[in-house]
Structure formats: structure tokens, C-alpha cells
Amino acid sequence: MQTVAHSSGTIASRLLNWCAKAWEATVEGDVMGSLDDQALREIARDCCVTPDQLLQLAKAGPHAADEMIALMTALNIDPNEAAHAHAFQFRDMQITCSACTSKDRCRRDLARHAADQEYVHYCGNAEHLNGMRAEPELLIA
């Protein structure tokens, strides 16, 4: 799993990175959009999501929920343990994160190490994250 990169590097390198991610997401969305309805339904069923959610996730790109992983780490939650202990909840949290409209704020808070104090004000996964913080076996040792 990849974590959120900090805003370092030149403007050109950041722009190129952004373009590469946008291109990757577009290609993923195009591939999923080219599937016939039956194949799309089967893949969605295998992933335990609806076909519409699957298309939305593909268009968002493979790193659309990186902020969730970074936020979990900032909250001292082990993402691997959480994914293992709460697989369906973890998947739902990734879906929520991938569609989030507060990503810029989240990234800023992560970059300035304030996410652990601020996420409750905007994160759609705040309730789940608070529950996980209360489970000692999910915390980073």
C-alpha cells in the first residue's frame, strides 16, 4: 500500500506526478467501462461492491484511498491489522475515502501532522477510525 506523498519536489515534478496519476485513473476507468454488463456485474460481485461503485472506484484510480492508510498510520492504527480484522469495514472505508471531497484538507492535515486532531471534523470514516482506535490489537506497537 502506498502512502500519501508530501508536497515536495519541483512544481514540474509534482505536475508530472499528478498527470501520471490522472492518466492511470483514466485508463483504469476506460478498461472497466469497456467490459460488457455481465463481466462488470461478476467482477463487482467478486469485489462485494455494486457495478456503479466498481466503475467509480476504477475512475478514481488505484491510489484513491491512500489518504485513509496515511490517516490510519497517523492515528496509530495498523492498516494491515485493520484490513485483516475488519475486511468488509476496511473495504467500505476505502470506498468512502476514494469518493471523499475533503482530500485536500486531509492531505494538508497529514503534511502538517495535525490529522489526528482534525479528521473528526471532515472525515467520512471518523466513526470507524475512532472505533478502531479503541481496539488495542489494531494499534501499532
Side-chain angles (χ1 to χ4, degrees):
M1 291 181 200
Q2 186 174 345
T3 59
V4 177
H6 293 286
S7 298
S8 61
T10 65
I11 291 174
S13 67
R14 291 193 334 242
L15 180 60
L16 285 172
N17 186 37
W18 179 84
C19 288
K21 286 182 180 182
W23 177 258
E24 187 176 14
T26 300
V27 170
E28 293 288 332
D30 289 347
V31 168
M32 295 305 277
S34 70
L35 295 174
D36 64 55
D37 288 342
Q38 181 62 31
L40 186 63
R41 282 193 302 275
E42 289 174 6
I43 293 170
R45 184 189 67 236
D46 290 347
C47 295
C48 299
V49 296
T50 68
D52 287 340
Q53 286 175 317
L54 183 61
L55 288 172
Q56 176 188 359
L57 292 169
K59 288 177 183 174
H63 302 290
D66 285 354
E67 294 83 3
M68 184 187 93
I69 303 303
L71 182 55
M72 290 178 118
T73 302
L75 296 174
N76 209 34
I77 300 167
D78 184 329
N80 294 321
E81 288 296 323
H84 178 72
H86 301 288
F88 293 115
Q89 180 181 8
F90 191 86
R91 182 214 52 226
D92 290 347
M93 291 171 68
Q94 287 178 308
I95 292 169
T96 298
C97 184
S98 71
C100 182
T101 59
S102 297
K103 286 187 178 291
D104 288 339
R105 182 173 181 187
C106 183
R107 287 183 198 122
R108 276 194 309 273
D109 287 346
L110 287 164
R112 62 185 187 96
H113 305 287
D116 61 332
Q117 299 297 313
E118 300 295 327
Y119 77 100
V120 296
H121 302 294
Y122 56 84
C123 182
N125 286 320
E127 187 175 326
H128 295 302
L129 291 166
N130 287 337
M132 289 178 175
R133 289 178 92 179
E135 296 183 44
E137 64 275 8
L138 300 182
L139 301 180
I140 297 170

